[in-house]
Amino acid sequence: MSNLVFIENNKAVTDSLTVAEVFGKEHARVMRDVRELGCSEEFRVGNFAESSYVNSQNKEMPKYFMSKKGFTLLAMGYTGREAMKFKEAYIEEFERMESQIKAPRVLTDREQLLASMKITLETSEKVDQIEHKIISLEQKVEEQITLTSGEQRRLQKGIAQKVYEVESEPKVRPRLFRELHREIKDRFGVASYKDVKRKELQSALRYIENWIPRKVS
């Protein structure tokens, strides 16, 4: 399992949304479990942090960030073979992230690739060709970079705004969300809106802005 634990303010944390998804629980239930832990105020302040996210209806909703200790206390109440497997996976991810924070910074795959290619090319006698190849390589790498989490939220917000703009009937909106998501995937040749290339973000936003839903007979 990946993406169970992430770095926030240089600390390894998870959040209540991820816990709910992994353990197959409603997010509201996980939020209630956190509030009803009965731990000391000092422990709560040190290991749980209230935050928020924007849901598919473009509404700001509460969530919790939690540390390894906070997650461990919360997950004590989740039992069963599957729950134990998830808890073990979480603990391993927390330890991996904590080691990553403490370790010296390692070059990303992109940085390693560019550094390796640059060293190889700089040994060539054809200086003009070297510079051209480096520029071409950087452009190819840039073209493959997908949206950041912030850009994903921006795209998701644009989708929600468009659906609410064209449809006032709440029962119809889920169909329009699915339709617009499907058209974005088809338009940009991706498996999910999250895989849209960063260089195509503005095109995707314009497409959403001008989108007209298909009429249902």
Side-chain angles (χ1 to χ4, degrees):
M1 297 180 187
S2 60
N3 300 325
L4 297 179
V5 180
F6 41 92
I7 297 174
E8 185 78 15
N9 295 326
N10 206 36
K11 294 181 180 179
V13 299
T14 188
D15 63 17
S16 51
L17 280 171
T18 308
V19 171
E21 180 180 356
V22 171
F23 285 88
K25 299 180 181 293
E26 292 184 359
H27 185 233
R29 166 67 186 279
V30 175
M31 292 285 289
R32 186 182 66 196
D33 290 344
V34 172
R35 290 192 291 266
E36 295 179 356
L37 278 175
C39 58
S40 67
E41 185 64 20
E42 181 180 2
F43 185 91
R44 180 181 299 278
V45 171
N47 295 283
F48 295 94
E50 292 189 37
S51 185
S52 64
Y53 70 101
V54 177
N55 67 10
S56 59
Q57 284 76 44
N58 202 31
K59 292 183 179 179
E60 187 171 357
M61 303 293 289
K63 71 173 182 177
Y64 280 107
F65 284 117
M66 63 192 79
S67 68
K68 179 180 179 181
K69 290 182 179 179
F71 166 78
T72 302
L73 185 63
L74 173 66
M76 283 181 181
Y78 300 157
T79 58
R81 180 175 297 179
E82 284 297 303
M84 182 59 69
K85 180 178 71 175
F86 297 146
K87 285 189 277 189
E88 290 175 358
Y90 254 113
I91 290 172
E92 289 180 1
E93 276 298 291
F94 266 113
E95 291 180 350
R96 186 178 70 83
M97 281 295 186
E98 288 169 351
S99 298
Q100 181 176 319
I101 292 172
K102 295 176 183 178
R105 181 179 178 276
V106 178
L107 293 178
T108 64
D109 290 343
R110 175 177 179 273
E111 291 170 332
Q112 292 179 22
L113 175 61
L114 290 175
S116 176
M117 289 296 295
K118 187 174 181 179
I119 291 173
T120 301
L121 293 172
E122 283 178 347
T123 62
S124 173
E125 296 178 355
K126 300 178 180 179
V127 177
D128 291 340
Q129 293 182 13
I130 290 173
E131 293 177 352
H132 176 72
K133 288 181 180 180
I134 291 175
I135 292 173
S136 297
L137 175 62
E138 290 178 338
Q139 290 174 342
K140 289 179 180 179
V141 172
E142 290 293 337
E143 288 177 356
Q144 298 305 313
I145 295 176
T146 54
L147 303 180
T148 65
S149 58
E151 290 166 338
Q152 291 173 16
R153 288 194 294 272
R154 183 179 173 190
L155 192 62
Q156 188 179 51
K157 185 175 181 180
I159 292 171
Q161 288 176 337
K162 187 63 180 181
V163 170
Y164 274 75
E165 174 187 320
V166 301
E167 183 53 63
S168 59
E169 177 56 52
K171 293 182 180 180
V172 180
R173 288 173 186 158
R175 177 180 64 80
L176 296 186
F177 271 105
R178 291 192 298 270
E179 180 180 328
L180 182 48
H181 274 278
R182 182 171 59 253
E183 290 192 20
I184 289 174
K185 290 190 289 186
D186 293 342
R187 174 81 175 184
F188 295 94
V190 293
S192 165
Y193 77 92
K194 297 179 181 179
D195 299 321
V196 171
K197 301 297 186 295
R198 180 181 292 177
K199 68 184 182 68
E200 296 180 325
L201 175 60
Q202 294 304 318
S203 296
L205 291 172
R206 286 195 296 271
Y207 181 83
I208 293 168
E209 183 179 352
N210 297 313
W211 179 73
I212 299 175
R214 294 195 296 263
K215 292 183 179 180
V216 178
S217 56

